[in-house]
């Protein structure tokens, strides 16, 4: 039994005869008749009663017509779903992200992605960069939004956006007073809060380098894994921190953000995934992130 025989049979029933079915199928009538005769021979039953007034279904033909319709519908459903999956219109996507992304590109990118691809289920996991690497290798993540650098031979990192670092200081700290850019050298005796280097080497190293460029080594008194924790410690007066500028969207009582004087230090945020792997869903999500990042760069 061939798929086209089912289509031919259903067309004959729906059109009420061979000639109109042949016109609909864009074939001549003799080959159509041969295919239906072959179908009946294979099944060993008569499906149609032919007459000058057209065709009528036999009892067996009625049952076969219902089943043929169902099979054609399932095949069409399979075709549509296969094409949707190939385009990334449906499916599931597991995304890891550093907390910084939640204050910048992730919310608007996720909103745009869900509007364009409502049938893709996105599972979000807030994870540090090192944790994302482990989850990607274990195939529990499809895509990560991480902080550079990611120098792993089996992983592909694509930069999406850069952010300058700003100072987060307790509102009672001298550095919180005044307006305009702050000279980092005035913080040579301040207590600094930084993430552990093993989980955020990019931000850790950038903080150290920026302080060294200002002529001092920072006094690190606290480590915190998540940016919310860093800002929480700042608000409680435990020290100051250099954070990406988007963290200013995390409004916390007792914290003042200040720009820094001179050439800004910049942290890079990007996507990471296993090298030579990917999916249409991941590509579409990366495109949504890139669009938001480019719009932010243009000031839109």
């Amino acid at each position: 039994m061939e798929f086209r025989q089912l289509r031919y049979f259903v067309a004959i029933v729906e059109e009420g005869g061979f000639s109109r079915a042949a016109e609909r199928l864009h074939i001549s009538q003799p080959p159509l008749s041969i295919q239906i005769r072959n179908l009946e021979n294979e099944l060993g039953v008569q499906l149609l009663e032919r007459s000058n007034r057209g065709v009528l279904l036999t009892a067996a033909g009625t049952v076969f017509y219902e089943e043929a319709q169902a099979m054609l519908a399932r095949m069409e459903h399979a075709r549509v779903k296969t094409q949707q999956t190939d385009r990334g219109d449906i499916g599931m996507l597991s995304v890891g992200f550093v907390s910084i992304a939640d204050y910048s590109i992730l919310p608007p990118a996720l909103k745009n992605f869900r509007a364009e691809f409502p049938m893709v289920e996105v599972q979000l996991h807030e994870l540090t960069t090192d944790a994302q690497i482990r989850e990607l290798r274990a195939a529990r993540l499809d895509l990560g939004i991480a902080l550079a650098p990611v120098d792993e031979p089996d992983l592909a990192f694509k930069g999406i956006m850069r952010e300058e670092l700003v100072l987060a200081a307790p509102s009672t700290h001298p550095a919180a007073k005044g307006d305009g850019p702050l000279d980092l050298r005035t913080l040579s005796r301040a207590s600094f809060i930084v993430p552990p280097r093993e989980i955020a080497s990019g931000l850790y190293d950038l903080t150290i380098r920026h302080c060294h460029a200002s002529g001092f080594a920072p006094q690190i008194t606290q480590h915190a894994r998540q940016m919310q924790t860093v800002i929480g410690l700042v608000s409680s007066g435990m020290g100051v921190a250099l954070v990406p500028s988007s963290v200013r969207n995390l409004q916390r009582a007792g914290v003042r953000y200040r720009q820094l004087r001179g050439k800004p230090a910049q942290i890079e945020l990007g996507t990471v995934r296993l090298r030579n792997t990917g999916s249409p869903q991941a590509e579409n999500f990366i495109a949504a992130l890139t669009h938001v990042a480019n719009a932010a760069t243009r000031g839109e």
Side-chain angles (χ1 to χ4, degrees):
M1 188 184 302
E2 298 179 10
F3 179 66
R4 63 174 176 171
Q5 291 175 322
L6 300 181
R7 291 194 299 110
Y8 290 175
F9 174 72
V10 168
I12 291 169
V13 175
E14 291 179 347
E15 295 297 332
F18 282 80
S19 59
R20 287 194 296 271
E23 292 178 6
R24 167 174 153 181
L25 296 167
H26 304 292
I27 62 174
S28 60
Q29 187 170 333
L32 179 59
S33 299
I34 292 171
Q35 288 298 326
I36 297 304
R37 188 179 304 116
N38 291 340
L39 178 61
E40 289 179 320
N41 289 338
E42 182 175 349
L43 292 171
V45 300
Q46 182 180 355
L47 299 173
L48 299 170
E49 293 180 353
R50 300 151 178 86
S51 70
N52 294 332
R53 293 179 296 175
V55 296
L56 295 174
L57 285 169
T58 64
T62 300
V63 172
F64 189 77
Y65 174 63
E66 294 174 354
E67 295 296 330
Q69 281 186 309
M71 284 188 281
L72 291 174
R74 286 196 293 271
M75 288 297 296
E76 176 63 14
H77 181 69
R79 182 189 68 81
V80 171
K81 288 199 68 173
T82 299
Q83 292 177 342
Q84 287 177 327
T85 301
D86 186 63
R87 294 193 303 266
D89 292 344
I90 63 174
M92 188 178 73
L93 185 66
S94 182
V95 180
F97 66 97
V98 292
S99 57
I100 293 169
D102 199 26
Y103 309 125
S104 55
I105 60 173
L106 181 57
L110 182 62
K111 179 181 178 181
N112 294 344
F113 182 84
R114 283 178 168 161
E116 187 172 359
F117 304 102
M119 296 179 67
V120 177
E121 178 186 350
V122 180
Q123 297 180 347
L124 295 174
H125 310 273
E126 184 175 346
L127 299 166
T128 57
T129 298
D130 65 315
Q132 289 182 43
I133 291 173
R134 291 194 300 270
E135 294 298 288
L136 284 166
R137 287 172 173 160
R140 288 189 288 265
L141 282 184
D142 301 307
L143 183 69
I145 305 172
L147 287 174
V150 178
D151 298 320
E152 302 289 339
D154 59 331
L155 299 175
F157 180 86
K158 178 185 178 183
I160 296 291
M161 67 179 297
R162 290 179 176 271
E163 288 190 67
E164 68 177 70
L165 298 188
V166 298
L167 179 74
S171 56
T172 56
H173 194 280
K177 311 303 179 184
D179 298 311
L182 177 73
D183 192 333
L184 190 59
R185 290 177 296 182
T186 62
L187 297 172
S188 60
R189 298 183 179 277
S191 297
F192 276 79
I193 304 165
V194 297
R197 190 180 188 280
E198 62 270 19
I199 70 163
S201 61
L203 184 55
Y204 181 96
D205 291 345
L206 191 57
T207 298
I208 301 299
R209 287 199 305 269
H210 205 44
C211 289
H212 283 174
S214 297
F216 70 96
Q219 300 179 36
I220 298 173
T221 58
Q222 293 282 340
H223 290 90
R225 298 177 65 88
Q226 301 291 346
M227 197 53 59
Q228 301 98 312
T229 308
V230 170
I231 298 303
L233 291 172
V234 171
S235 70
S236 64
M238 299 298 292
V240 300
L242 297 184
V243 299
S245 59
S246 62
V247 175
R248 288 180 293 192
N249 294 323
L250 177 59
Q251 296 296 322
R252 182 70 67 88
V255 178
R256 175 89 189 280
Y257 296 100
R258 297 284 303 276
Q259 284 189 299
L260 299 173
R261 186 174 300 163
K263 183 179 180 180
Q266 292 187 324
I267 192 74
E268 186 175 30
L269 191 68
T271 60
V272 60
R273 55 181 168 174
L274 289 175
R275 194 174 296 279
N276 300 323
T277 63
S279 67
Q281 293 84 0
E283 292 293 343
N284 292 338
F285 199 84
I286 291 172
L289 291 167
T290 303
H291 176 76
V292 170
N294 290 341
T297 300
R298 296 191 299 266
E300 297 177 4

